[in-house]
Amino acid sequence: MGFAGNKFFFLLCCVGFMAGFIYRILPIDSFDQYHLPPPKNASAKNSNLTYEESEFADLLKLIDWPSPPFSITNFSLSTNPKQCWYELMSPRTVYHVGETLEVLITAKDHYGKLKSYGGDFFQAKLHSPKIKAGVTGHLKDLNNGTYLATFLLPWEGEAQVNIRLIHSSEAVSVLKDKRERHPEKVYFNGYFHFNGSSEVKECNIAVRGGDVCNYSDPVTGDPWQCLKPQKMPCDSLVYHSMGGYRRVTNSLEDSLLNGSVTAQNIKGAGAFTSIKIEPATNSTGLTSRLQVCSPGQEPSQPSGFYNNDIWTSLVCLGRHFPSPSDARDCLKGKDIHMFGDSTLRQWFEYLESFIPSLKRIDLHVNYQSGPLLAVDPDVGLVMRWRAHGNPLRTTKTMISDLHYETAHLYGIGGGPQTVVVFTLWAHFTTYPVSVYIQRLFRLRRAISSLLFRSPKTTVLIKSANTGYKSIYGSDWLSLQLDILLRAIFKGMAVTILDVWDMTSCHYLPDNIHPGAPVIRNEVDLMLSYICPR
């Protein structure tokens, strides 16, 4: 590697040491002063409540979802995708770019009877397979068994409507109930080793069934417990892994979540197949008034669209980085910290393979959970990815390699060359939303502290993406967490990278781990905020 390379790694080690040193000496209690300021009317709500407590109630209102007006005991009364249909509102022969298209969706049960209440979870997109174009539709529940989907028309040519029933309102009711009442449906293993003996015990955020060992994080307070081993101390816990899944549904509930009624296309009325979109009637383009990408920009609906398999942002002037040299020039001198799940690890993997000079250093750890490290010494680029702290569904990995993202952030000095990217949702879909909200509150405090000491730090938040379709992880559960994520970080100098739209309107089949064309566009969006010009 030579002298220059050795010097680089010496500096890298020094940075790592100093980060750990800062982590230990920072006065954690003082971070409260860096929280987001409470709204002006917070005291009017209840002077006995803290800001976060009052905010908690408001957050629950954001994700309120209508439930069936009666208990479901008959599968045939649930929404049947084969009976549902949609029709164009005020159809025309020709549409123009920049206009909107409205579609009315009508829900029916298995008897063919019109539903009289809402709560069904549909997904809508407008797309063109010929030119690899797509855009999501905005859905409004009219609370009477009908739904209104509104689409922006962003490209010229042909466009087809696609409406899918992801879950009936009855299935959503099951998901909501199991989320709140059965967090133990996913469990984990803790591996204890002491004096040549070993035991495996169940672990989770909270466990029942006897004496427990508590492993709350000393910095953040994040809770974790394992059942206490019979013949060894609690501090003999060495490894962690996914344990398994428990069945928490009965036969009726299984029917409501069955693949035959989940994520199914519904038919259009009559002989409708597509619409024709002509050029805009005025010269003002959809992106003509957008600003360069910067933190804190207001989201748009939709957040963008595909055309020729390229994503165009409608939030800001997104850039594209078609060659490795473009991405490398953007990331020159950057110190990148990624925290999250495997959907964010895909970004690390993309950049590692896309930039030939970016080389991974083998840290001899479990690849699924990391930490992973890649460097490009010639341009001073350091890129790290590590899984967020428990709960984490992963293969057997050392407990010492699992760091809570909030605790780790307290050890980052920050600055104009520092980029923090995180995502936090996929491993929380099985828990009551209160668990997720408290986790994000702790993370928000750490980010507030980071931006206070280093305001020029770039903080990027990857939203949830589509792809889950089960009791243990559903698009509906993910959407609920995504709404909370966006609300909790609203108003901060951070950026929400909206990949929900990017995954829900692409032509590739649903996958929690999106395909290469989607990942390329997601990473380009991230780079647009790191290098806006």
Side-chain angles (χ1 to χ4, degrees):
M1 181 177 293
F3 174 77
N6 290 332
K7 183 177 181 182
F8 176 82
F9 282 108
F10 170 76
L11 292 172
L12 183 63
C13 292
C14 289
V15 169
F17 171 78
M18 287 304 296
F21 177 72
I22 293 171
Y23 171 31
R24 286 187 287 272
I25 66 170
L26 280 173
I28 304 302
D29 292 342
S30 68
F31 292 149
D32 288 344
Q33 63 183 299
Y34 308 142
H35 295 183
L36 280 173
K40 294 179 180 179
N41 62 346
S43 59
K45 293 181 179 180
N46 189 334
S47 59
N48 295 322
L49 293 178
T50 66
Y51 170 45
E52 285 186 353
E53 286 173 336
S54 62
E55 184 185 13
F56 185 90
D58 292 337
L59 290 169
L60 293 183
K61 293 178 183 177
L62 281 179
I63 60 169
D64 185 49
W65 195 275
S67 298
F70 48 83
S71 298
I72 301 300
T73 58
N74 182 356
F75 170 77
S76 295
L77 293 176
S78 65
T79 308
N80 181 1
K82 294 180 180 179
Q83 296 282 355
C84 298
W85 55 284
Y86 67 86
E87 59 182 322
L88 270 59
M89 303 288 287
S90 305
R92 307 203 310 260
T93 305
V94 175
Y95 296 83
H96 294 90
V97 170
E99 296 178 341
T100 56
L101 174 72
E102 290 188 331
V103 172
L104 185 67
I105 302 166
T106 301
K108 293 185 177 182
D109 63 22
H110 290 260
Y111 295 119
K113 184 179 178 181
L114 293 172
K115 298 289 290 288
S116 60
Y117 53 90
D120 295 311
F121 179 41
F122 289 96
Q123 284 181 2
K125 71 176 180 181
L126 193 71
H127 67 120
S128 175
K130 290 182 180 179
I131 59 173
K132 295 182 177 180
V135 65
T136 58
H138 175 70
L139 279 158
K140 181 179 181 180
D141 188 343
L142 302 179
N143 298 311
N144 60 3
T146 63
Y147 305 79
L148 184 66
T150 304
F151 301 93
L152 174 69
L153 306 180
W155 65 80
E156 298 176 26
E158 181 191 53
Q160 302 173 14
V161 173
N162 177 259
I163 310 289
R164 289 191 303 164
L165 176 67
I166 305 300
H167 295 298
S168 66
S169 57
E170 294 76 19
V172 168
S173 184
V174 173
L175 292 172
K176 187 189 306 184
D177 175 71
K178 304 308 177 187
R179 178 188 67 190
E180 296 301 319
R181 296 202 303 118
H182 292 283
E184 78 288 351
K185 58 184 170 290
V186 170
Y187 63 94
F188 303 86
N189 288 335
Y191 300 82
F192 294 81
H193 297 273
F194 186 73
N195 286 344
S197 299
S198 62
E199 288 187 48
V200 181
K201 291 294 182 180
E202 182 174 331
C203 304
N204 216 320
I205 289 177
V207 291
R208 304 170 185 171
D211 294 336
V212 300
C213 296
N214 285 295
Y215 300 101
S216 296
D217 186 82
V219 175
T220 67
D222 282 285
W224 194 251
Q225 295 181 345
C226 295
L227 290 175
K228 190 173 183 179
Q230 294 180 348
K231 299 180 179 180
M232 52 190 71
C234 288
D235 59 10
S236 59
L237 177 64
V238 180
Y239 295 98
H240 163 88
S241 80
M242 172 66 183
Y245 298 93
R246 289 191 175 96
R247 181 179 175 182
V248 294
T249 52
N250 58 37
S251 58
L252 172 60
E253 293 166 337
D254 288 339
S255 297
L256 294 170
L257 295 165
N258 188 273
S260 64
V261 291
T262 299
Q264 297 296 308
N265 290 333
I266 70 171
K267 60 183 180 292
F272 170 75
T273 56
S274 63
I275 63 170
K276 184 179 180 181
I277 306 172
E278 298 285 357
T281 55
N282 58 58
S283 59
T284 303
L286 294 174
T287 62
S288 61
R289 297 182 180 179
L290 297 180
Q291 303 296 314
V292 297
C293 300
S294 61
Q297 289 173 318
E298 285 296 315
S300 68
Q301 177 59 45
S303 65
F305 63 94
Y306 287 105
N307 194 355
N308 293 315
D309 225 5
I310 299 297
W311 182 257
T312 297
S313 172
L314 294 176
V315 177
C316 65
L317 291 173
R319 297 179 57 197
H320 294 286
F321 300 79
S323 71
S325 61
D326 295 329
R328 189 181 190 229
D329 290 344
C330 170
L331 297 177
K332 181 179 180 180
K334 297 299 183 184
D335 183 17
I336 304 172
H337 302 259
M338 297 182 179
F339 306 94
D341 54 39
S342 53
T343 66
L344 185 57
R345 190 180 65 220
Q346 288 183 277
W347 294 11
F348 179 97
E349 293 165 341
Y350 171 83
L351 287 170
E352 180 193 358
S353 63
F354 187 59
I355 303 175
S357 54
L358 184 58
K359 302 297 184 183
R360 182 144 50 93
I361 308 300
D362 188 357
L363 300 180
H364 307 287
V365 295
N366 179 355
Y367 181 80
Q368 279 195 359
S369 54
L372 306 180
L373 172 68
V375 299
D376 188 340
D378 292 338
V379 294
L381 167 61
V382 183
M383 183 174 70
R384 309 167 180 82
W385 173 89
R386 70 184 312 136
H388 59 66
N390 281 324
L392 184 70
R393 304 176 212 172
T394 185
T395 54
K396 191 174 180 180
T397 189
M398 293 195 73
I399 285 288
S400 57
D401 287 330
L402 298 179
H403 295 187
Y404 286 99
E405 64 289 341
T406 296
H408 206 91
L409 280 174
Y410 285 135
I412 296 175
Q417 298 304 316
T418 302
V419 179
V420 172
V421 190
F422 74 85
T423 192
L424 198 70
W425 60 277
H427 295 251
F428 291 83
T429 54
T430 59
Y431 292 96
V433 292
S434 59
V435 170
Y436 185 66
I437 291 172
Q438 293 299 331
R439 182 70 164 255
L440 291 187
F441 280 169
R442 290 189 286 269
L443 182 56
R444 185 173 65 183
R445 292 179 209 135
I447 291 174
S448 296
S449 174
L450 172 62
L451 293 175
F452 177 85
R453 62 182 178 267
S454 300
K456 293 185 178 181
T457 303
T458 299
V459 179
L460 307 172
I461 305 170
K462 174 188 170 293
S463 76
N465 58 257
T466 57
Y468 272 151
K469 300 290 186 294
S470 80
I471 191 71
Y472 307 105
S474 151
D475 281 355
W476 182 82
L477 294 169
S478 299
L479 177 63
Q480 292 257 292
L481 300 189
D482 194 55
I483 293 170
L484 294 171
L485 176 79
R486 295 167 192 254
I488 287 173
F489 288 97
K490 183 179 175 62
M492 295 184 67
V494 302
T495 296
I496 303 288
L497 300 172
D498 189 348
V499 303
W500 184 273
D501 276 8
M502 299 175 81
T503 53
S504 60
C505 71
H506 199 265
Y507 59 82
L508 287 176
D510 271 345
N511 194 327
I512 193 65
H513 296 113
V518 178
I519 296 299
R520 181 188 72 245
N521 281 288
E522 290 179 351
V523 172
D524 277 0
L525 183 61
M526 174 184 72
L527 296 179
S528 296
Y529 284 91
I530 297 174
C531 306
R533 293 182 175 87

